[in-house]
Amino acid sequence: TREQLYSRVYDVYHNLGRWLAEKDETHIERVYGELGRRRHHDHTPVSELLYVVILMKEHLAAYIRRIAAANSAVEMHQEAELNQLMGHFFDRALYHSDKGCEEADQPAAARG
């Protein structure tokens, strides 16, 4: 439903904000690993899961470009730094989502 979609997108952006503040890799691993396992159990193709994360990254980057009309070199540097950090977050989200999908097929003992 529309409400579920809104809630899921909000969660991703909320997690991004948290990660930008805390740089907590274990949080990304836990949240997105679980997301991958849930989507695997829902029989969602991993390609669709990864593509949704890519679309959210692109949408957020476009939004930042629209609102952050850099007026100085400092603002341009800050925007570039934010884009780099955002890229790291989404790359990790992609990795842990995919890893969660892979782990969903393994017995619990094999996961460690």
Side-chain angles (χ1 to χ4, degrees):
T1 68
R2 188 175 187 87
E3 292 80 23
Q4 289 173 323
L5 179 61
Y6 176 83
S7 176
R8 289 180 183 155
V9 170
Y10 174 82
D11 286 344
V12 170
Y13 292 149
H14 176 76
N15 286 321
L16 169 62
R18 179 177 177 174
W19 184 81
L20 288 172
E22 299 173 6
K23 308 291 189 293
D24 183 3
E25 179 78 20
T26 58
H27 179 74
I28 295 174
E29 182 178 2
R30 187 178 71 251
V31 169
Y32 292 94
E34 178 58 30
L35 176 66
R37 287 186 288 280
R38 278 195 322 264
R39 293 300 153 250
H40 178 79
H41 291 300
D42 293 344
H43 305 289
T44 301
V46 69
S47 58
E48 289 184 21
L49 169 62
L50 300 181
Y51 191 56
V52 165
V53 175
I54 291 167
L55 288 175
M56 286 189 292
K57 176 183 175 183
E58 290 175 355
H59 176 76
L60 184 57
Y63 174 76
I64 289 170
R65 278 192 305 274
R66 281 194 312 270
I67 65 163
N71 294 319
S72 70
V74 171
E75 289 174 343
M76 286 174 40
H77 176 73
Q78 289 172 334
E79 182 181 343
E81 185 176 353
L82 176 59
N83 280 324
Q84 182 180 21
L85 289 171
M86 202 174 69
H88 288 300
F89 170 84
F90 281 104
D91 290 347
R92 285 163 176 77
L94 288 168
Y95 170 75
H96 290 296
S97 295
D98 185 53
K99 188 175 176 188
C101 285
E102 292 172 358
E103 290 173 349
D105 281 332
Q106 298 175 359
R111 286 186 240 146

